[in-house]
Amino acid sequence: MKNVTIYVDVDLTLVDPQGRLLDGAPEGLRMLKARNCRLYLWSTAGAEYARAVAMRYQLADMFEGFASKPDIIIDDMPSTALEPFVFNPNDYATWPELAEKLLRKHVD
């Protein structure tokens, strides 16, 4: 898969319930960015919230943009939007482990 675009959620994915950056998240993001993945940060709390969190942790330059998590998707190829490759960071011991699996399976 070339030109991989990855949307990363903020709460409980990038930061914990207290708003602290999850261990290994910066390293995992750097691994993805180093392989030319285009990273976007999104949140149900909105684009400005996502940007503020990235700025707080000096990660804003890792992301190409910030967005609200979509409630509705309109697309001429809905199967490509409704069947994304979803990775839950809680299913991995570390963020770098998640990044490595994603890179191995989905990035050329």
Side-chain angles (χ1 to χ4, degrees), residues 3 6 11 24-25 39-40 43 45 52 60-61 63 74 90 94 96 103:
N3 300 318
I6 300 171
D11 293 322
L39 303 174
Y40 290 84
S43 174
D61 61 332
F63 298 99
I74 299 173
N90 297 312
T94 66
L103 290 169

Side-chain angles (χ1 to χ4, degrees), residues 19-103:
R20 295 179 303 235
L21 197 60
L22 292 178
D23 289 340
E27 293 81 8
L29 292 170
R30 282 188 202 96
M31 291 170 67
L32 298 171
K33 189 76 170 172
R35 291 284 296 275
N36 297 316
C37 295
R38 293 185 313 272
L39 303 174
Y40 290 84
L41 190 62
W42 69 357
S43 174
T44 56
E48 288 310 310
Y49 171 71
R51 182 187 315 275
V53 170
M55 297 287 285
R56 180 180 323 134
Y57 292 106
Q58 300 176 342
L59 295 173
D61 61 332
M62 300 288 291
F63 298 99
E64 296 198 24
F66 306 91
S68 295
K69 190 180 288 187
D71 296 311
I72 298 171
I73 298 171
I74 299 173
D75 193 312
D76 68 315
M77 295 175 50
S79 65
T80 64
L82 299 177
E83 297 177 18
F85 296 106
V86 177
F87 292 83
N88 182 341
N90 297 312
D91 293 340
Y92 301 87
T94 66
W95 245 93
E97 180 186 326
L98 178 155
E100 185 58 41
K101 181 172 182 182
L102 191 151
L103 290 169

